[in-house]
Amino acid sequence: MVKFQGSQLDRTFAALCDPTRRAILARLEQEGTVSIGELARPFAIKLPAVMKHLDVLGTAGLITRSKHGRTVAVRLVTGPMEEATTWLRRYERFWSARLDRLAAYAEAEQAKADLARTEES
């Protein structure tokens, strides 16, 4: 696993690029604080691999760990994702305009196909 140095935004996106890490974050979002053992259980990877994913998420500031007796629990931290969302919103206008044009094109093509089918009948 590559250690990533860079800005907070860079670390957030680097952490979010992996589907296992996104699944971990989704579970934490749903369940709140979860023990590492419980968090690792549904994955088809061994605990050391899960720990490496947690290290990446921790370095990105997306999770915190707390120890209660012998149990280490993990909790989601949303701040870095809010920063990423703010960054993405700057481009939303661009994407929205392009997606609106794509939708209009698809609807026009569908209308042409429907008209052609009607005329053939």
Side-chain angles (χ1 to χ4, degrees), residues 11 20-22 25 29 32 34 41 45 51 54 59 61-63 75 77 80 82 90 98 100 102 107 114 120:
R11 288 189 303 271
T20 300
R21 291 192 287 268
R22 290 192 307 270
L25 294 174
E29 188 272 328
V34 180
R41 189 166 289 132
I45 57 177
M51 296 298 290
L54 293 175
T59 299
L62 293 167
I63 62 165
R75 183 178 59 83
V77 176
E82 290 168 1
R90 291 190 292 171
R98 296 243 173 168
D100 288 346
L102 178 60
E107 289 170 3
D114 291 346
E120 289 175 359

Short mmCIF file of all heavy atoms in Angstrom, two decimals, residues 11 20-22 25 29 32 34 41 45 51 54 59 61-63 75 77 80 82 90 98 100 102 107 114 120:
data_model
loop_
_atom_site.label_atom_id
_atom_site.label_comp_id
_atom_site.label_asym_id
_atom_site.label_seq_id
_atom_site.Cartn_x
_atom_site.Cartn_y
_atom_site.Cartn_z
N ARG A 11 -5.17 13.60 0.52
CA ARG A 11 -5.25 12.40 1.36
C ARG A 11 -6.68 11.87 1.39
O ARG A 11 -6.89 10.65 1.37
CB ARG A 11 -4.75 12.70 2.77
CG ARG A 11 -3.25 12.88 2.84
CD ARG A 11 -2.74 12.96 4.27
NE ARG A 11 -3.36 14.01 5.06
CZ ARG A 11 -2.91 15.26 5.15
NH1 ARG A 11 -1.84 15.62 4.48
NH2 ARG A 11 -3.54 16.14 5.91
N THR A 20 -12.94 -0.91 -0.60
CA THR A 20 -12.99 -1.45 0.76
C THR A 20 -13.05 -0.32 1.77
O THR A 20 -13.84 -0.36 2.73
CB THR A 20 -11.78 -2.36 1.05
OG1 THR A 20 -11.79 -3.44 0.11
CG2 THR A 20 -11.81 -2.91 2.45
N ARG A 21 -12.25 0.71 1.55
CA ARG A 21 -12.26 1.85 2.47
C ARG A 21 -13.60 2.58 2.41
O ARG A 21 -14.12 3.02 3.44
CB ARG A 21 -11.09 2.78 2.17
CG ARG A 21 -9.76 2.13 2.53
CD ARG A 21 -8.62 3.12 2.53
NE ARG A 21 -8.19 3.54 1.22
CZ ARG A 21 -7.22 2.97 0.50
NH1 ARG A 21 -6.57 1.93 0.98
NH2 ARG A 21 -6.89 3.45 -0.67
N ARG A 22 -14.17 2.70 1.22
CA ARG A 22 -15.50 3.33 1.13
C ARG A 22 -16.54 2.50 1.86
O ARG A 22 -17.43 3.04 2.52
CB ARG A 22 -15.89 3.55 -0.33
CG ARG A 22 -15.06 4.63 -1.02
CD ARG A 22 -15.64 5.05 -2.36
NE ARG A 22 -15.89 3.94 -3.27
CZ ARG A 22 -15.01 3.47 -4.15
NH1 ARG A 22 -13.81 4.01 -4.25
NH2 ARG A 22 -15.33 2.47 -4.95
N LEU A 25 -16.21 3.14 5.56
CA LEU A 25 -16.80 4.43 5.91
C LEU A 25 -18.33 4.38 5.90
O LEU A 25 -18.98 4.95 6.77
CB LEU A 25 -16.29 5.53 4.98
CG LEU A 25 -14.80 5.86 5.09
CD1 LEU A 25 -14.40 6.85 4.01
CD2 LEU A 25 -14.46 6.37 6.47
N GLU A 29 -20.73 5.13 9.00
CA GLU A 29 -21.79 6.14 8.89
C GLU A 29 -23.11 5.59 9.40
O GLU A 29 -23.88 6.27 10.07
CB GLU A 29 -21.91 6.60 7.43
CG GLU A 29 -22.83 7.78 7.23
CD GLU A 29 -24.27 7.39 7.01
OE1 GLU A 29 -24.51 6.32 6.43
OE2 GLU A 29 -25.16 8.16 7.43
N GLY A 32 -22.16 4.13 13.53
CA GLY A 32 -21.47 4.94 14.53
C GLY A 32 -20.12 4.34 14.88
O GLY A 32 -19.32 4.04 14.02
N VAL A 34 -17.66 1.42 15.96
CA VAL A 34 -17.63 -0.03 15.78
C VAL A 34 -16.24 -0.53 16.16
O VAL A 34 -15.23 0.10 15.82
CB VAL A 34 -17.94 -0.41 14.30
CG1 VAL A 34 -17.91 -1.91 14.10
CG2 VAL A 34 -19.26 0.17 13.86
N ARG A 41 -15.15 -8.11 10.25
CA ARG A 41 -15.85 -9.38 10.07
C ARG A 41 -16.44 -9.60 8.68
O ARG A 41 -16.24 -10.66 8.09
CB ARG A 41 -16.93 -9.53 11.15
CG ARG A 41 -17.54 -10.91 11.14
CD ARG A 41 -18.36 -11.19 12.38
NE ARG A 41 -17.43 -11.34 13.50
CZ ARG A 41 -17.57 -10.72 14.67
NH1 ARG A 41 -18.60 -9.95 14.88
NH2 ARG A 41 -16.69 -10.89 15.64
N ILE A 45 -11.10 -10.26 3.57
CA ILE A 45 -9.67 -10.04 3.71
C ILE A 45 -9.29 -10.24 5.16
O ILE A 45 -10.15 -10.19 6.04
CB ILE A 45 -9.25 -8.63 3.22
CG1 ILE A 45 -10.01 -7.54 3.98
CG2 ILE A 45 -9.43 -8.50 1.72
CD1 ILE A 45 -9.62 -6.13 3.61
N MET A 51 -6.52 -3.54 8.87
CA MET A 51 -5.76 -2.57 9.66
C MET A 51 -5.01 -1.59 8.75
O MET A 51 -4.95 -0.39 9.06
CB MET A 51 -4.77 -3.29 10.58
CG MET A 51 -5.43 -4.16 11.63
SD MET A 51 -6.47 -3.24 12.76
CE MET A 51 -5.22 -2.37 13.67
N LEU A 54 -7.48 0.87 7.58
CA LEU A 54 -7.79 1.80 8.67
C LEU A 54 -6.66 2.81 8.86
O LEU A 54 -6.92 3.98 9.18
CB LEU A 54 -8.06 1.04 9.97
CG LEU A 54 -9.34 0.20 9.97
CD1 LEU A 54 -9.44 -0.59 11.26
CD2 LEU A 54 -10.57 1.06 9.75
N THR A 59 -4.87 8.31 8.52
CA THR A 59 -3.95 9.32 8.00
C THR A 59 -4.71 10.42 7.27
O THR A 59 -4.34 11.59 7.34
CB THR A 59 -2.91 8.66 7.06
OG1 THR A 59 -2.18 7.70 7.80
CG2 THR A 59 -1.97 9.69 6.47
N GLY A 61 -7.55 11.40 8.11
CA GLY A 61 -8.40 12.08 9.08
C GLY A 61 -9.86 11.71 8.98
O GLY A 61 -10.72 12.39 9.53
N LEU A 62 -10.16 10.60 8.29
CA LEU A 62 -11.55 10.20 8.08
C LEU A 62 -12.09 9.33 9.22
O LEU A 62 -13.30 9.11 9.30
CB LEU A 62 -11.68 9.45 6.76
CG LEU A 62 -11.43 10.32 5.52
CD1 LEU A 62 -11.25 9.47 4.29
CD2 LEU A 62 -12.56 11.31 5.35
N ILE A 63 -11.21 8.82 10.07
CA ILE A 63 -11.64 8.03 11.22
C ILE A 63 -10.80 8.40 12.44
O ILE A 63 -9.71 8.97 12.30
CB ILE A 63 -11.50 6.50 10.98
CG1 ILE A 63 -10.03 6.12 10.76
CG2 ILE A 63 -12.40 6.02 9.86
CD1 ILE A 63 -9.74 4.63 10.87
N ARG A 75 -14.41 5.33 14.73
CA ARG A 75 -15.54 6.24 14.51
C ARG A 75 -15.25 7.11 13.29
O ARG A 75 -14.12 7.51 13.05
CB ARG A 75 -15.73 7.12 15.75
CG ARG A 75 -16.91 8.06 15.66
CD ARG A 75 -17.08 8.88 16.95
NE ARG A 75 -15.93 9.69 17.27
CZ ARG A 75 -15.67 10.89 16.76
NH1 ARG A 75 -16.49 11.42 15.89
NH2 ARG A 75 -14.60 11.56 17.12
N VAL A 77 -15.12 10.40 10.97
CA VAL A 77 -14.92 11.84 11.09
C VAL A 77 -15.31 12.44 9.75
O VAL A 77 -14.73 12.08 8.72
CB VAL A 77 -13.46 12.19 11.44
CG1 VAL A 77 -13.26 13.69 11.48
CG2 VAL A 77 -13.05 11.54 12.75
N PRO A 80 -13.11 15.97 6.77
CA PRO A 80 -12.39 15.90 5.50
C PRO A 80 -13.31 15.65 4.29
O PRO A 80 -13.06 16.17 3.21
CB PRO A 80 -11.42 14.73 5.70
CG PRO A 80 -11.21 14.69 7.17
CD PRO A 80 -12.53 15.06 7.76
N GLU A 82 -16.38 16.72 4.07
CA GLU A 82 -17.07 17.98 3.82
C GLU A 82 -16.20 18.91 2.99
O GLU A 82 -16.69 19.59 2.08
CB GLU A 82 -17.46 18.63 5.15
CG GLU A 82 -18.55 17.87 5.87
CD GLU A 82 -18.75 18.31 7.31
OE1 GLU A 82 -18.04 19.22 7.78
OE2 GLU A 82 -19.62 17.72 7.97
N ARG A 90 -17.67 23.08 -6.65
CA ARG A 90 -17.20 24.11 -7.58
C ARG A 90 -17.38 23.65 -9.02
O ARG A 90 -17.51 24.47 -9.93
CB ARG A 90 -15.74 24.45 -7.33
CG ARG A 90 -15.53 25.18 -6.03
CD ARG A 90 -14.13 25.70 -5.92
NE ARG A 90 -13.20 24.58 -5.79
CZ ARG A 90 -11.89 24.69 -5.85
NH1 ARG A 90 -11.34 25.86 -6.06
NH2 ARG A 90 -11.12 23.64 -5.71
N ARG A 98 -23.49 19.79 -18.52
CA ARG A 98 -23.19 18.69 -19.46
C ARG A 98 -24.21 17.57 -19.34
O ARG A 98 -24.64 17.01 -20.34
CB ARG A 98 -21.79 18.15 -19.20
CG ARG A 98 -20.72 19.17 -19.45
CD ARG A 98 -19.85 18.73 -20.54
NE ARG A 98 -18.93 19.81 -20.87
CZ ARG A 98 -17.90 19.65 -21.63
NH1 ARG A 98 -17.64 18.47 -22.12
NH2 ARG A 98 -17.13 20.65 -21.92
N ASP A 100 -27.29 17.86 -18.29
CA ASP A 100 -28.56 18.35 -18.83
C ASP A 100 -28.57 18.22 -20.35
O ASP A 100 -29.58 17.80 -20.94
CB ASP A 100 -28.80 19.81 -18.43
CG ASP A 100 -29.13 19.96 -16.96
OD1 ASP A 100 -29.44 18.94 -16.29
OD2 ASP A 100 -29.08 21.10 -16.45
N LEU A 102 -26.79 16.08 -22.11
CA LEU A 102 -26.84 14.65 -22.40
C LEU A 102 -28.27 14.13 -22.26
O LEU A 102 -28.75 13.38 -23.11
CB LEU A 102 -25.90 13.87 -21.48
CG LEU A 102 -25.89 12.36 -21.66
CD1 LEU A 102 -25.47 11.97 -23.07
CD2 LEU A 102 -24.96 11.72 -20.62
N GLU A 107 -33.30 12.20 -24.66
CA GLU A 107 -34.75 12.33 -24.81
C GLU A 107 -35.13 12.60 -26.27
O GLU A 107 -36.12 12.06 -26.77
CB GLU A 107 -35.26 13.46 -23.91
CG GLU A 107 -35.22 13.09 -22.44
CD GLU A 107 -35.49 14.28 -21.52
OE1 GLU A 107 -35.77 15.40 -22.03
OE2 GLU A 107 -35.40 14.08 -20.30
N ASP A 114 -39.35 6.72 -31.09
CA ASP A 114 -40.78 6.50 -30.87
C ASP A 114 -41.59 6.94 -32.09
O ASP A 114 -42.53 6.25 -32.50
CB ASP A 114 -41.25 7.27 -29.62
CG ASP A 114 -40.70 6.70 -28.33
OD1 ASP A 114 -40.16 5.57 -28.33
OD2 ASP A 114 -40.77 7.41 -27.29
N GLU A 120 -44.11 3.48 -38.62
CA GLU A 120 -44.03 2.15 -39.23
C GLU A 120 -45.30 1.35 -38.99
O GLU A 120 -45.61 0.44 -39.75
CB GLU A 120 -42.83 1.39 -38.67
CG GLU A 120 -41.49 1.92 -39.11
CD GLU A 120 -40.32 1.23 -38.45
OE1 GLU A 120 -40.55 0.31 -37.62
OE2 GLU A 120 -39.19 1.58 -38.75
#
